[in-house]
Amino acid sequence: MIEFAVFGAGRIGTVHAGNLHRHPGARVRYVIDVDAGAAADLAASCGARVASATDALADRDVAAVVIATSTDTHTHLIGLAAAARKAIFCEKPIDLDVDRARAALDAVNRHGVQLAIGFNRRHDPSFWKVKDEVAAGAVGTVEFVGITSRDPVPPPADYVARSGGLFRDMMIHDFDMARWLLGEEPVLVYAAGSVLFDRNIGQAGDVDSAVALLKTQSGKLCSISNARHSSHGYDQRIEVFGSSGMLQAGNEVAKAVPGADASGSHGDAGADADVPFFLQRYKDAYRIQIDRFLRRLNGEAVELADGVDGLRALILADCAQNSMLDGQPVAVDP
């Protein structure tokens, strides 16, 4: 039984704590959050206790932590957890600054602890199947990867202002997917962005729509399309084209479930609905990701995004931001 301290009682912290609570090999021992009420509610739902960071990290029974707090706290908490010799699962991004991210990884390496980064889309069953089949040679040599990621509605302007921008906050998932599916590091990034529908996002200094083109040393290409708004609902698709074939993973849909009572039948048995947003679309991915983290802690050789993956995705996000601002392709630092 691996005991955890969960930092962050917000939306994503609640997801991770719930998955840990339901896992037979894990126990949530502490919840830590600046919002005392949210921490108390989440702790009560998991049979845990509210604690300070200092007390939770000092407890020798705690073997691992989940960091699901705001991005500006990630590297500080990684440093504290590493010094306390706790295994670390941290939500993306590691930080909004590459130098601080590097410093956090140095702390992890210095103290010899494990760090996994929450790129949950790697663990989505349909995306995982595409990756498996690509690795098995189903499309021959990979030539092109296409990634589409569009949110149903834009976030609040105050969130945008502190998010680090679309490339570091949203497209960073897709930069990780690009590296994962291409099987090579991109060496060149060209990106463009626009404010097409939400002036508040523009006033916050960001864009609501963007595209990025990545190129590897061998010439493989990846195109990424992101938008903070989608008129047709949450849009999550990948495709891989190769020398001898192609593979796709499309949007997930939820089947309508008809019912009946004394007043008659209800619901359209033939209707499908797009899964509304990321918590529903990637519900299985979040559960599988935490299960794989626990299996890794128990010594199994399972695939997880690590600190280097988090750093490389952040570097690509910085390159895309600079490319958009300068209107020129940007070479990626090795």
Side-chain angles (χ1 to χ4, degrees):
M1 182 68 67
I2 298 175
E3 303 219 3
F4 278 79
V6 175
F7 289 81
R11 185 166 58 178
I12 196 63
T14 298
V15 170
H16 292 317
N19 284 328
L20 288 170
H21 180 58
R22 290 185 289 273
H23 197 287
R27 179 190 172 203
V28 180
R29 188 173 181 89
Y30 299 111
V31 175
I32 305 95
D33 196 282
V34 294
D35 184 331
D41 288 344
L42 182 57
S45 72
C46 296
R49 287 181 280 167
V50 176
S52 67
T54 300
D55 289 345
L57 293 175
D59 189 333
R60 293 185 179 182
D61 289 332
V62 172
V65 302
V66 168
I67 299 174
T69 49
S70 59
T71 299
D72 60 336
T73 67
H74 287 182
T75 53
H76 175 65
L77 291 173
I78 288 172
L80 292 178
R85 302 297 200 276
K86 311 299 185 186
I88 305 162
F89 178 94
C90 182
E91 266 303 317
K92 65 81 197 169
I94 298 176
D95 198 88
L96 299 180
D97 179 84
V98 168
D99 289 338
R100 286 197 298 267
R102 291 187 193 277
L105 298 195
D106 287 344
V108 166
N109 293 332
R110 186 166 61 253
H111 293 291
V113 299
Q114 295 195 53
L115 170 64
I117 302 299
F119 285 126
N120 61 290
R121 297 180 190 183
R122 290 186 180 213
H123 306 280
D124 173 75
S126 59
F127 293 173
W128 187 274
K129 182 173 176 58
V130 168
K131 170 67 172 177
D132 264 357
E133 294 197 16
V134 167
V139 301
T141 301
V142 174
E143 298 171 348
F144 175 84
V145 172
I147 303 173
T148 298
S149 180
R150 300 187 179 101
D151 287 350
V153 293
D158 63 337
Y159 172 83
V160 171
R162 65 178 188 273
S163 70
L166 183 147
F167 295 111
R168 297 183 187 93
D169 173 59
M170 182 178 180
M171 196 179 286
I172 196 165
H173 276 293
D174 302 312
F175 290 132
D176 180 67
M177 288 294 295
R179 296 178 59 249
W180 191 56
L181 292 169
L182 286 166
E184 294 181 13
E185 294 292 342
V187 298
L188 195 69
V189 178
Y190 176 75
S194 296
V195 179
L196 297 178
F197 52 85
D198 194 327
R199 288 186 187 175
N200 291 327
I201 290 179
Q203 290 170 355
D206 198 11
V207 295
D208 58 33
S209 306
V211 293
L213 178 66
L214 314 180
K215 184 177 182 179
T216 71
Q217 189 66 52
S218 71
K220 296 178 182 180
L221 298 172
C222 174
S223 69
I224 301 172
S225 171
N226 273 192
R228 294 285 198 182
H229 163 79
S230 175
S231 60
H232 55 281
Y234 196 39
D235 194 356
Q236 299 284 294
R237 291 173 280 138
I238 62 171
E239 52 189 1
V240 181
F241 294 85
S243 57
S244 60
M246 64 88 69
L247 289 167
Q248 293 178 323
N251 286 319
E252 298 283 339
V253 295
K255 297 286 185 182
V257 179
D261 57 23
S263 63
S265 297
H266 310 285
D268 181 358
D272 292 343
D274 289 332
V275 177
F277 206 15
F278 71 96
L279 291 178
Q280 297 84 15
R281 168 63 178 82
Y282 292 112
K283 180 180 179 181
D284 288 341
Y286 285 120
R287 176 183 53 78
I288 292 167
Q289 179 180 237
I290 283 294
D291 176 71
R292 287 178 176 149
F293 182 57
L294 284 159
R295 287 163 56 194
R296 171 72 67 84
L297 297 184
N298 282 317
E300 290 189 45
V302 295
E303 181 179 333
L304 286 166
D306 61 16
V308 173
D309 293 312
L311 177 63
R312 297 308 301 177
L314 182 60
I315 289 171
L316 291 176
D318 277 3
C319 289
Q321 182 74 19
N322 292 335
S323 176
M324 179 184 71
L325 294 175
D326 296 341
Q328 299 292 328
V330 172
V332 182
D333 289 337

